[in-house]
Amino acid sequence: MNTELRLAGVIRESIVDGPGWRFVIFVQGCPHRCPGCQNPQTHSFDGGYITTVENIVNAVKADGLLTGVTLSGGEPFTQARELLVLTREIKKLGLDVMAFSGYTYEELIAGATPENGWLELLSELSLLIDGKFILEQKSLELRFRGSKNQRIIDVQKSLATNTVVLSELNF
């Protein structure tokens, strides 16, 4: 568990970054750089700080109220291999893992290679909120999303049926 991650920060308890009581991990580095991004400080791949999977797992273990972990950013899929190690450890604790990504589900599937680990990370997730933030489609009325183009995808059902299956949380 000495795998290292470059993070912008964490929120130890959140109810706005996914269903339930969540530990939120903001990875550092994002290729999308969406205008109006809520987290522009996460864009640089050189910023943030280095921590280990073990440190994150220990922080998650210390909070008995958590129901899951949310991967946010930055762009989580830029550190897919490292987050895969973390995600597997989190799931051993009985917690679910979801992610936000500026990539669409279809882009992640099409761009997945054995080297980048996108499909492996995707296969460990319960939910994916996909798509770039589009300032012109910003809405404060959307649950867990920033713009109307973004979808809450049931990853396991989508992988099983080879088609995008939206979560019932899409309202």
Side-chain angles (χ1 to χ4, degrees):
M1 285 201 306
N2 289 329
T3 300
E4 291 185 340
L5 296 162
R6 182 173 291 274
L7 302 184
V10 300
I11 296 175
R12 293 182 180 268
E13 295 179 340
S14 172
I15 59 169
V16 298
D17 295 291
W21 203 252
R22 307 195 72 79
F23 189 98
V24 185
I25 300 166
F26 294 92
V27 302
Q28 184 69 41
C30 184
H32 309 298
R33 300 176 181 264
C34 302
C37 175
Q38 182 175 326
N39 303 318
Q41 72 281 5
T42 67
H43 292 179
S44 169
F45 284 92
D46 298 321
Y49 62 94
I50 302 293
T51 191
T52 64
V53 166
E54 184 175 18
N55 286 342
I56 298 294
V57 170
N58 287 338
V60 170
K61 281 182 183 176
D63 190 331
L65 297 176
L66 297 173
T67 57
V69 171
T70 298
L71 309 176
S72 192
E75 173 54 62
F77 284 86
T78 62
Q79 296 184 58
R81 286 264 167 233
E82 296 83 356
L83 289 171
L84 179 61
V85 174
L86 174 66
T87 298
R88 288 180 174 158
E89 292 299 318
I90 296 300
K91 289 180 73 175
K92 288 178 188 175
L93 302 175
L95 302 175
D96 78 284
V97 181
M98 64 172 281
F100 286 81
S101 178
Y103 295 110
T104 64
Y105 177 86
E106 294 86 353
E107 289 170 331
L108 289 169
I109 294 294
T113 67
E115 294 75 33
N116 67 24
W118 289 3
L119 186 58
E120 291 88 344
L121 179 58
L122 198 58
S123 71
E124 296 290 337
L125 302 177
S126 57
L127 298 173
L128 173 71
I129 298 180
D130 78 335
K132 293 177 184 171
F133 171 76
I134 299 175
L135 188 57
E136 296 77 22
Q137 294 186 34
K138 179 179 178 177
S139 173
L140 299 178
E141 297 176 5
L142 298 169
R143 189 173 191 194
F144 308 132
R145 294 162 287 160
S147 59
K148 293 178 182 177
N149 63 298
Q150 296 172 317
R151 306 173 292 182
I152 305 174
I153 296 171
D154 184 316
V155 176
Q156 297 307 308
K157 287 180 181 176
S158 297
L159 290 171
T161 61
N162 203 28
T163 187
V164 172
V165 177
L166 298 180
S167 165
E168 70 277 357
L169 298 173
N170 277 285
F171 58 84

